[in-house]
Amino acid sequence: MLMLFAPLATFAQKFGHVDTQSIIQSLPDYSRANGEIEAIAKQYENELKASQDELQRLAEDYDKKKSSMNATQQQETEASLQEKYSRIQQQAQQNQQEFQKAQQEKLQPIFNKVRQAIETVGKSGGYVYIMETNNVLYINDTISKDLTSEVKAQLAKMK
């Protein structure tokens, strides 16, 4: 008898899907954070470019004066150029790490807020699963409801 009703219980469950990318991109917080992230990236890019330009200038200067230098001066200058090159590489790695950290710090609260809104909509609507639209190969719209607009509305209430 229980086996007969089990399939019916499956059909009574509610499934939903959301487009989190669309939700996140619609948030003013995201636009602001994205602008800040782009500004940080530009700053790091400018700093690195300035260092690379300086190294290029020093290398060209060395090439011009190399013939008039003695062997010791050449070795010292080459060592100095190599050291500057190494510092630029370290700077690039450090900038990349700091950029990723800043990106995480600025975006994580937004992701958490969206996740909280999805959970609220899921709980209040009695949904068993809410899936990401962009990661699902097929969605049967008669069984799974698109909750993107409901999550956006929930986020508007959370402000």
Side-chain angles (χ1 to χ4, degrees):
M1 186 75 156
L2 187 59
M3 297 294 280
L4 292 174
F5 292 110
L8 294 176
T10 302
F11 289 115
Q13 295 176 342
K14 293 170 73 178
F15 301 96
H17 57 276
V18 295
D19 182 356
T20 54
Q21 192 71 17
S22 165
I23 293 167
I24 290 169
Q25 289 177 348
S26 71
L27 295 173
D29 291 352
Y30 176 76
S31 297
R32 186 173 33 261
N34 200 36
E36 292 171 6
I37 290 168
E38 287 175 6
I40 291 169
K42 189 68 172 170
Q43 175 189 346
Y44 287 148
E45 182 181 320
N46 290 340
E47 289 173 3
L48 193 59
K49 175 106 173 77
S51 296
Q52 290 170 336
D53 289 347
E54 175 67 13
L55 178 63
Q56 181 69 28
R57 187 188 63 71
L58 291 171
E60 288 172 359
D61 188 48
Y62 168 67
D63 285 340
K64 289 176 186 174
K65 296 178 182 177
K66 182 178 179 180
S67 61
S68 64
M69 294 180 169
N70 63 36
T72 305
Q73 289 174 323
Q74 287 179 4
Q75 287 175 346
E76 289 173 356
T77 304
E78 288 172 5
S80 174
L81 290 172
Q82 184 60 42
E83 182 183 326
K84 288 182 188 308
Y85 176 74
S86 295
R87 274 191 267 144
I88 289 172
Q89 287 181 317
Q90 289 173 346
Q91 178 186 8
Q93 289 175 347
Q94 184 179 353
N95 287 357
Q96 182 66 27
Q97 290 170 351
E98 289 176 10
F99 175 75
Q100 288 173 347
K101 182 180 175 186
Q103 193 174 33
Q104 180 75 13
E105 287 173 356
K106 294 195 180 300
L107 294 178
Q108 193 60 48
I110 296 168
F111 296 152
N112 292 342
K113 189 176 181 180
V114 170
R115 180 177 301 267
Q116 183 182 2
I118 292 170
E119 288 175 7
T120 301
V121 168
K123 287 176 185 175
S124 67
Y127 289 90
V128 177
Y129 293 106
I130 297 179
M131 295 165 269
E132 169 57 46
T133 303
N134 297 323
N135 292 334
V136 178
L137 298 176
Y138 171 74
I139 297 174
N140 183 338
D141 288 332
T142 60
I143 297 173
S144 179
K145 181 179 178 186
D146 186 353
L147 301 172
T148 302
S149 61
E150 291 180 38
V151 172
K152 286 180 181 180
Q154 178 61 37
L155 282 166
K157 290 179 191 175
M158 293 170 65
K159 290 183 180 181

